[in-house]
Amino acid sequence: MKQFNTYPFFILLCLFYFLLPTFNAQIDSWFYAACVKHHQYLNQPHHLLFNYFGLGFYNFIGIFYSNVEAIHALFIMNAVAASICLLFFNQLLKNLGASKDLALSLTLFCGSCFGFFRFATDAETYILPLCFSVISTYFYTKSDKIKHGILASLFSVLAVTTHQIHLWWSLAMFLHLVVFRKSSKKFKITYTFFQFLIPFIYLIAYVSQTEYLGFFNYLSGEYSKGNAGLDWSFMAILLTCINVIRSFIQVHGNSILLINKFPFLFTIIFSVLLYIIFILIKKKQSHLAFTRKIDKSNYSILFFIAIIFHLIFAFLSSGNAEFMVMLPFLLVAFLIARYNFQSFGPLIPISIILLIWNLSFGIIPNRFLNLNSTKIQETISTNNSEMIFMWKEKPLIENRLCYKYGFKPFNFITNEDSAIKLLNSGASIIVDKQIGMDPLSRKKILKTSNESWQKPFNSEIIDSIKNFYGKIYIIRISKP
């Protein structure tokens, strides 16, 4: 069936990536921006080349705008990568047999998904490698020409070396090549040969660093340090299920608070959503119609394996939402490789509903509301460098300070036992306490706050500041 013109929708979506960068950049975003700004710690094993791409883009933008902030340069880089990713994904779907209208409709659906949208407007590491994986798969599915095999392998190398999580997508493609793809030996050997660039690049990077002892420890990065690990718990299953949903649509504990704060605005939003749903139901061609296709190239197996690999690893990483950014793209590619769609009327309305919802509950609040209010803690930390601090948002505050002033030690602690020892020795500790709504989040589920250790000591409120969720009190804890 013929769809209405979706190209303006596509252009608008890409513009959103550029025009709505978050005002609440994540913890790691500030660290990467600090690395780029101060030219330090560029060599990070889990996302080896990302900081180098960030530094190159930062210097490139600096040619035209010398006062650009490093974190803003990373915002722009991710917006560019997100737009390129959608362009190549649209072509990839055509390679898999989708019509022009169907390919564009599904591309807009993926581009509106929250997991992709949130990182397209942040300075995190997940959009650039996804872009490389999509480009790699585009060339891999384009033809059996050797030049396409070389390009597919090279972009796969870039994806893995930009973030290790794309090892699973790359491995799925390699398994498909070896077991399921009916290509010439020359194509397979050429593709495999260039894959050896991955260990070669890591070996060069390992030799040039001094922090890690042993190549395996370097490859495993934070896992070898004990800062990350594998989790087989029921909570990991629960978080995996929640974050699979959040890969598509924003679900967060602050949604109720947003509705309470802006009731008139959300009344309009819900009215628009209900109207679209009403039109969708009323419309005669509002159903999907598809049949199983003969998948001679077995591309559906490639995407199915990649989905399983990524889901398992995300589950073992406590249901990490960041490791699921690629799921909508892999799922859509799997469906197109597996089925012929004769009717796809609901896709554009569903994409519009998804876009409005994710903008309303995720992207726009993150752009215009100060949800990570740490300014008072940062000011107190820099003006009282002789004091000891135990901030709840310690990693975020520390990385923001490193971005502003460079990498240097701060008197921050996180361990309660250490705090008690310091207090008993006569030291004072500055802490913060949120009063008001404390929305449910992944961080809150995984790490419960226990303030009982403060009870034997004196507490004195020395400052406070209002934020979106209520009020933050700055408290000095000392021995009686």
Side-chain angles (χ1 to χ4, degrees):
M1 62 170 288
K2 181 67 177 177
Q3 296 281 301
F4 66 87
N5 189 0
T6 51
Y7 285 103
F9 186 5
F10 179 86
I11 295 170
L12 179 64
L13 186 59
C14 292
L15 280 175
F16 281 149
Y17 301 149
F18 288 93
L19 298 177
L20 298 174
T22 182
F23 187 65
N24 300 273
Q26 298 298 306
I27 295 168
D28 290 342
S29 298
W30 287 106
F31 175 75
Y32 307 139
C35 293
V36 168
K37 180 179 180 179
H38 303 294
H39 297 194
Q40 289 183 262
Y41 302 108
L42 296 173
N43 189 340
Q44 297 289 321
H46 285 312
H47 29 79
L48 184 63
L49 298 183
F50 179 80
N51 284 339
Y52 292 102
F53 274 106
L55 179 60
F57 195 83
Y58 176 48
N59 291 334
F60 173 75
I61 293 292
I63 296 173
F64 307 98
Y65 179 40
S66 59
N67 294 324
V68 66
E69 284 285 341
I71 195 162
H72 293 151
L74 295 185
F75 288 154
I76 298 170
M77 183 180 76
N78 277 341
V80 171
S83 302
I84 294 173
C85 180
L86 294 187
L87 286 171
F88 272 92
F89 188 69
N90 182 57
Q91 297 303 315
L92 167 60
L93 295 181
K94 292 179 184 178
N95 288 352
L96 298 174
S99 66
K100 177 182 176 182
D101 290 329
L102 178 60
L104 189 56
S105 299
L106 287 169
T107 299
L108 297 175
F109 171 82
C110 290
S112 301
C113 287
F114 180 67
F116 182 77
F117 211 142
R118 66 181 286 205
F119 292 119
T121 53
D122 207 334
E124 278 270 22
T125 61
Y126 302 103
I127 296 299
L128 191 60
L130 174 57
C131 178
F132 289 144
S133 280
V134 167
I135 296 174
S136 170
T137 313
Y138 161 74
F139 285 117
Y140 183 79
T141 57
K142 188 169 180 61
S143 75
D144 284 335
K145 293 181 180 179
I146 299 302
K147 66 177 182 179
H148 291 145
I150 293 172
L151 288 170
S153 190
L154 287 176
F155 277 103
S156 173
V157 170
L158 286 176
V160 175
T161 53
T162 310
H163 201 295
Q164 283 180 344
I165 189 64
H166 281 263
L167 172 66
W168 303 115
W169 189 324
S170 179
L171 180 59
M173 195 180 299
F174 181 74
L175 289 174
H176 178 268
L177 174 73
V178 174
V179 180
F180 299 102
R181 179 159 179 155
K182 297 176 183 178
S183 298
S184 66
K185 286 185 178 180
K186 190 174 181 181
F187 182 93
K188 294 184 177 183
I189 291 172
T190 303
Y191 181 95
T192 304
F193 173 78
F194 283 97
Q195 287 291 288
F196 282 101
L197 284 172
I198 296 174
F200 180 71
I201 291 170
Y202 269 97
L203 186 61
I204 293 174
Y206 168 70
V207 171
S208 67
Q209 60 84 45
T210 58
E211 184 178 355
Y212 293 89
L213 296 176
F215 187 53
F216 178 78
N217 286 339
Y218 177 71
L219 289 176
S220 55
E222 296 301 309
Y223 291 91
S224 65
K225 291 180 178 180
N227 296 332
L230 302 181
D231 181 8
W232 289 271
S233 67
F234 172 76
M235 187 57 68
I237 297 174
L238 177 61
L239 288 171
T240 300
C241 294
I242 292 171
N243 285 325
V244 165
I245 296 171
R246 291 190 76 226
S247 296
F248 296 88
I249 190 166
Q250 165 68 322
V251 179
H252 197 275
N254 65 10
S255 298
I256 300 299
L257 184 58
L258 286 168
I259 294 171
N260 289 336
K261 291 256 186 182
F262 310 102
F264 178 73
L265 181 60
F266 278 95
T267 298
I268 296 174
I269 291 168
F270 284 127
S271 299
V272 172
L273 292 176
L274 288 173
Y275 176 75
I276 296 172
I277 294 171
F278 173 75
I279 295 298
L280 183 60
I281 295 172
K282 187 179 178 181
K283 198 174 181 181
K284 292 181 179 180
Q285 292 181 320
S286 62
H287 66 284
L288 287 171
F290 54 89
T291 57
R292 179 79 176 269
K293 71 165 59 170
I294 299 173
D295 185 12
K296 293 182 180 180
S297 301
N298 295 310
Y299 287 136
S300 62
I301 296 176
L302 185 165
F303 300 114
F304 180 76
I305 294 172
I307 289 170
I308 297 301
F309 281 170
H310 279 285
L311 272 178
I312 291 174
F313 190 75
F315 158 66
L316 293 176
S317 303
S318 300
N320 197 322
E322 287 87 344
F323 294 168
M324 302 185 193
V325 179
M326 69 293 296
L327 287 184
F329 292 84
L330 289 171
L331 180 60
V332 164
F334 167 77
L335 292 174
I336 291 300
R338 189 85 165 176
Y339 300 100
N340 283 313
F341 285 78
Q342 287 83 33
S343 175
F344 47 91
L347 285 180
I348 289 297
I350 289 173
S351 297
I352 293 173
I353 291 171
L354 200 64
L355 178 63
I356 293 173
W357 182 280
N358 290 332
L359 281 170
S360 303
F361 286 100
I363 306 305
I364 290 178
N366 271 316
R367 175 68 186 100
F368 295 104
L369 300 177
N370 190 355
L371 303 178
N372 295 333
S373 182
T374 60
K375 187 175 181 180
I376 187 171
Q377 294 97 319
E378 294 168 32
T379 302
I380 292 173
S381 298
T382 52
N383 292 342
N384 302 274
S385 57
E386 74 286 352
M387 298 294 295
I388 301 170
F389 305 95
M390 192 171 180
W391 303 127
K392 285 187 177 180
E393 298 289 344
K394 179 256 184 186
L396 176 61
I397 296 166
E398 192 169 42
N399 286 348
R400 283 175 61 96
L401 290 175
C402 287
Y403 178 79
K404 290 178 182 178
Y405 306 111
F407 291 93
K408 60 182 180 179
F410 299 95
N411 292 330
F412 294 168
I413 62 172
T414 56
N415 187 277
E416 293 172 4
D417 292 333
S418 299
I420 292 170
K421 288 180 181 178
L422 287 167
L423 289 167
N424 285 327
S425 68
S428 296
I429 296 177
I430 307 296
V431 302
D432 53 353
K433 185 175 183 178
Q434 174 73 52
I435 302 296
M437 183 179 179
D438 192 7
L440 188 65
S441 64
R442 178 177 182 269
K443 182 170 61 177
K444 186 180 177 183
I445 292 173
L446 292 178
K447 187 177 181 180
T448 56
S449 177
N450 182 7
E451 298 176 352
S452 60
W453 64 273
Q454 300 177 16
K455 290 181 180 178
F457 303 98
N458 288 336
S459 297
E460 177 191 1
I461 297 176
I462 60 174
D463 209 338
S464 66
I465 187 172
K466 289 184 178 180
N467 68 357
F468 182 73
Y469 298 111
K471 207 169 189 179
I472 293 177
Y473 287 97
I474 308 299
I475 302 170
R476 179 188 287 115
I477 308 294
S478 59
K479 188 176 179 181

